[in-house]
Amino acid sequence: MTDDLRRHSPAAERNRVAILAELQRLLPPQGLLLEIASGSGQHAAHCSAGLPGWQWQPSDFEAEALPSIRTWCAGLDRVRAPLRLDVLSPEWPGVPAQVDAVFCANMIHIAPWECCGGLMRGAARHLSPQGVLITYGPYLEDGVPTTPGNLGFDVDLRLRNAGWGLRRREDVEHEAAEAGLVLRERVAMPANNLLLVWVRERSG
Ligand SMILES: C[S@@+](CC[C@H](N)C(=O)[O-])C[C@H]1O[C@@H](n2cnc3c(N)ncnc32)[C@H](O)[C@@H]1O
């Protein structure tokens, strides 16, 4: 019997359809997308299949995640072999000099805060002039009441790891600005998540 190395994220199973619909709306017909923090690999498998003009480069910090990504994406010829990638490293070895999009779901609040800046700086280093960074997940926002569900999630995350927790969108915008990126679009997603689209300050 062959071991099934696939990890299963119930959240990724739930949100992949809505995320793909937004990627299809936002992205041009073709390009190369770098996924940061691919986790199980479910987004890579599902979303790459719905973007026929795109090459998909998955990655994750955890070496143990890579076999799951590989297995979910086995046989998908537009998905490249997953890279081991730590957003905090000053260079991202193996990542092509220019990519057309960077996609990162659910890392900013489930990783140390420094990872947000690392993501922004790395995306700014690798994005093509018209490229987009797309982040997905729950955020806190000034002037927007936080739902009880997101408040409870924040408490739960901080109990699990003191370095984790929902981030203020405004703080994320500050990190982006330091890297030369600005928020172009905010999309409300199911279950009180946001999909945020970041571009270069002077992308025109
Ligand atoms: C909650 S999971 C999200 C996985 C997937 N994107 C999803 O939405 O199902 C958070 C991911 O962030 C990754 N991560 C944590 N620290 C990281 C870092 N320094 N660089 C890159 N990825 C990191 C973890 O390995 C994990 O796969």
Side-chain angles (χ1 to χ4, degrees), residues 89-103:
S89 57
E91 287 177 17
W92 289 356
V95 173
Q98 279 210 346
V99 299
D100 304 292
V102 176
F103 168 64

Side-chain angles (χ1 to χ4, degrees), residues 155-173:
V155 170
D156 179 59
L157 285 174
R158 290 174 197 280
L159 285 173
R160 282 162 62 193
N161 185 318
W164 295 358
L166 266 59
R167 313 300 183 191
R168 282 178 68 237
R169 175 172 61 81
E170 293 76 7
D171 291 338
V172 177
E173 277 185 76

Side-chain angles (χ1 to χ4, degrees), residues 167-188:
R167 313 300 183 191
R168 282 178 68 237
R169 175 172 61 81
E170 293 76 7
D171 291 338
V172 177
E173 277 185 76
H174 177 79
E175 294 298 308
E178 295 274 300
L181 300 176
V182 290
L183 183 60
R184 188 184 74 188
E185 197 174 330
R186 167 198 183 280
V187 185

